Amino acid sequence: LQETRQWRPLLHYAPARNWMNDPNGPILIDGVYHLFYQHNPVEPVMGYISWGHATSRDLLHWQEEPIALPSTPQEQIYSGTVIYDRDNRSGLGTDENPPLLALYTSVFRDMPGEQEDGTQAVSVAVSLDRGAHWTRYAHNPVLTLNPASRNFRDPALCWYEEGGYWVLTAVEAEQQIVKLFRSTDFLNWEFLSDFRPPGYHTPEMLWEVPVLARLPIEGEAGSFGWVMIVSVNPGGLTGGSGTFYYVGDFDGTTFTPAEHPTATDDPWQYRWMDYGPDNYAIVCFAGTPTPVSIGWMGNWNYSNHTPTVPWRGQMTLPAHLSLARQKDSTFLIRQKPVSLGDPEEVFVAAEIRPEAGTLWRLPDSAADCADFADAVLDLQMLIESGGDVAVLTVAATEDGRFGTEILYDSARQELIVDRSRSGVPVPDAAFTTRHIAPLSLQDGAVRLRVIVDRSSVEIFAADGLVRMTEVIFPSPHATSVTLGSYAGNACFRSVKVRWFR
Ligand code: FRU
């Protein structure tokens, strides 16, 4: 199989070869961002799950490191988290050299030699050299359900300042329960509570990768709110996997959703981290001054079959998270992509008003320094809808036959992404269609930011309150950008296009 270099992301992490899914234990330590991840080191499909490792100084350009935790015939290494035990509470390092701890999911074989996956439990691995080498703790696992469960996984940690202890969240996936525990030494865990609100549950749904986090409230210095982010599969709005969240309160024992409509089983009443199909298993970095998230840019329904060679899977752009108070005094999570650095080239236009039936095309000269195909495109604009449907097409071919369409329909107040003509389709027909996010007009306009890498489109609308993420597999010549509208009534203002590498 020939390498698909045209789809190799420039500013998103992807392993050089083989399979990747969830991010695990991202952490900033001594000025270096570490990313661990679910990785099959031997095949470009799910299996032999180990923890891969990569490092970065800017969250955009990554260096792949040796495998951190390899799977063994007895144990696969499913998702989990990494923490810097700076006071050596675990006793697994020394006061002079405190350890990094990985709390990961052990997927044991029930019997030696047996191929069936068995018990899942939380185990610990230790690094005394800032993540370069890891040793499994001698008394693993440190946390097992009683009776043992075959679907207890994905530990994440949150420091509870008021109580002076760590809170671990993990799921019992099939039961759709988040289980909360506490500890001060990372080795002994005491059960706190179960979180399983009523509402949107289906018999086949799995709850995965639960994240309890305290997020800063914008404009209110020093105030924070609690959120619980849960990845569900199936159950995502576009089908397959997706990630929703609850805003609420955590009292040290129990997480209680606040204004959330837990009484309804309508998924559209929920708050979603992303309205596209490709943003799953979202977790937060440890050690950053403010919360920064990262997700797997994939979907369990088709990611095992996407057409990239010799790797399969990439991460989303990391994003800053905060809570934005709404007019009705409820909260939404805002996600702002991390800085993309200094652009290679910039194009600005105060106002673009394409007439009906014509398309405005981003002039080639705007980027003649850069080979278009070989840079990440970052578009920002305010769309005054004029009651019309505005259409932004990215990764388009010159002849207009291919492209990814981003539409704003002001009558329906919907943001729509259509990747049915993006290029090589994702290998599941149910996912090549339109995806929709509710997006209300603010003073007759919507604000849009769209970041296009070689095989992805990430949309941040309403300054990051609405996010849509889609993988695409365009032809290498699909580098055009056009603007238009159905009736010629939409106006694109403050258009800014920047190119990054
Ligand atoms: C989420 C997930 C986790 C599990 C891991 C296995 O995508 O299914 O629940 O730990 O991936 O790779």
Side-chain angles (χ1 to χ4, degrees):
L1 286 174
Q2 202 174 338
E3 182 172 352
T4 55
R5 280 193 58 81
Q6 71 275 23
W7 295 324
R8 180 86 199 155
L10 292 167
L11 300 183
H12 294 79
Y13 182 67
R17 317 180 64 79
N18 295 323
W19 168 261
M20 178 178 77
N21 57 292
D22 309 3
N24 297 140
I27 185 166
L28 171 63
I29 185 152
D30 297 341
V32 178
Y33 295 96
H34 293 258
L35 173 67
F36 302 90
Y37 51 89
Q38 295 287 282
H39 185 42
N40 181 341
V42 293
E43 302 165 317
V45 291
M46 171 78 178
Y48 300 99
I49 290 292
S50 306
W51 275 25
H53 182 201
T55 53
S56 169
R57 294 211 166 249
D58 63 2
L59 293 168
L60 304 170
H61 303 90
W62 295 90
Q63 162 79 42
E64 190 165 340
E65 306 285 349
I67 300 288
L69 286 165
S71 72
T72 67
Q74 292 78 38
E75 181 191 39
Q76 291 192 82
I77 319 289
Y78 273 18
S79 285
T81 195
V82 170
I83 197 75
Y84 178 47
D85 179 13
R86 75 179 67 244
D87 299 322
N88 192 29
R89 295 285 190 91
S90 63
L92 296 175
T94 59
D95 291 352
E96 298 70 46
N97 188 21
L100 274 183
L101 303 178
L103 280 84
Y104 65 88
T105 308
S106 292
V107 181
F108 294 112
R109 301 264 185 257
D110 272 352
M111 296 294 205
E114 190 187 350
Q115 285 310 300
E116 272 290 289
D117 288 341
T119 297
Q120 298 185 353
V122 177
S123 289
V124 170
V126 187
S127 172
L128 296 172
D129 58 6
R130 296 291 190 265
H133 300 91
W134 293 86
T135 323
R136 286 161 162 88
Y137 174 52
H139 305 291
N140 277 337
V142 297
L143 179 57
T144 311
L145 291 188
N146 186 9
S149 165
R150 299 170 88 91
N151 72 121
F152 174 55
R153 59 177 177 264
D154 305 345
L157 291 175
C158 177
W159 173 246
Y160 185 59
E161 178 74 45
E162 294 86 333
Y165 50 81
W166 292 93
V167 176
L168 181 149
T169 49
V171 286
E172 228 182 332
E174 288 167 18
Q175 291 76 5
Q176 300 154 31
I177 298 174
V178 180
K179 303 192 81 76
L180 290 80
F181 301 83
R182 75 168 179 188
S183 174
T184 52
D185 65 5
F186 304 100
L187 301 176
N188 297 287
W189 292 97
E190 180 192 339
F191 176 72
L192 289 174
S193 64
D194 277 341
F195 174 65
R196 191 196 196 272
Y200 180 42
H201 293 277
T202 60
E204 20 7 301
M205 186 191 276
L206 300 176
W207 277 26
E208 300 185 319
V209 195
V211 172
L212 176 67
R214 203 198 292 252
L215 302 183
I217 298 176
E218 292 168 9
E220 301 177 22
S223 3
F224 295 87
W226 288 96
V227 297
M228 180 78 84
I229 304 172
V230 182
S231 291
V232 295
N233 175 40
L237 286 178
T238 64
S241 37
T243 310
F244 66 49
Y245 65 93
Y246 302 87
V247 178
D249 189 41
F250 179 63
D251 63 4
T253 303
T254 309
F255 177 83
T256 311
E259 71 278 336
H260 202 80
T262 46
T264 172
D265 58 4
D266 173 6
W268 288 94
Q269 301 299 318
Y270 279 67
R271 289 168 189 171
W272 293 83
M273 293 296 283
D274 205 290
Y275 287 84
D278 295 305
N279 194 346
Y280 195 62
I282 298 168
V283 291
C284 291
F285 278 81
T288 52
T290 54
V292 177
S293 68
I294 187 167
W296 169 44
M297 199 155 19
N299 190 305
W300 278 117
N301 273 50
Y302 51 76
S303 288
N304 262 295
H305 309 285
T306 48
T308 55
V309 178
W311 79 96
R312 200 176 260 135
Q314 58 181 316
M315 294 302 176
T316 64
L317 277 178
H320 296 281
L321 302 187
S322 56
L323 281 175
R325 196 185 287 275
Q326 304 301 290
K327 284 205 186 81
D328 61 1
S329 147
T330 61
F331 290 96
L332 292 176
I333 295 183
R334 190 190 304 280
Q335 305 178 65
K336 287 210 157 187
V338 295
S339 165
L340 299 185
D342 295 325
E344 297 223 333
E345 192 66 29
V346 180
F347 169 88
V348 289
E351 178 180 310
I352 296 167
R353 199 184 275 280
E355 281 168 29
T358 69
L359 289 177
W360 176 89
R361 186 177 297 273
L362 181 68
D364 284 350
S365 61
D368 54 10
C369 76
D371 170 7
F372 251 122
D374 234 19
V376 169
L377 194 71
D378 178 7
L379 302 111
Q380 288 172 266
M381 62 190 68
L382 184 70
I383 303 177
E384 279 177 14
S385 73
D388 204 348
V389 177
V391 189
L392 158 65
T393 309
V394 297
T397 50
E398 198 82 24
D399 61 10
R401 284 182 58 218
F402 292 97
T404 301
E405 284 188 353
I406 299 158
L407 305 100
Y408 185 70
D409 183 332
S410 51
R412 305 174 70 95
Q413 308 224 6
E414 284 174 355
L415 180 66
I416 300 154
V417 184
D418 187 339
R419 63 173 172 183
S420 59
R421 294 183 303 115
S422 290
V424 175
V426 294
D428 183 333
F431 286 84
T432 57
T433 51
R434 293 177 156 209
H435 299 133
I436 297 173
L439 178 63
S440 6
L441 286 163
Q442 299 286 332
D443 304 319
V446 291
R447 195 175 289 284
L448 221 57
R449 178 158 180 201
V450 179
I451 299 172
V452 187
D453 201 340
R454 284 178 173 163
S455 51
S456 64
V457 176
E458 283 168 283
I459 304 169
F460 299 84
D463 287 313
L465 295 182
V466 172
R467 186 169 179 176
M468 293 184 88
T469 304
E470 310 254 345
V471 299
I472 56 169
F473 303 103
S475 96
H477 309 294
T479 58
S480 294
V481 173
T482 61
L483 299 176
S485 72
Y486 284 7
N489 292 328
C491 178
F492 301 82
R493 281 194 198 282
S494 315
V495 176
K496 184 157 146 196
V497 187
R498 301 185 298 165
W499 286 265
F500 296 88
R501 225 184 278 268

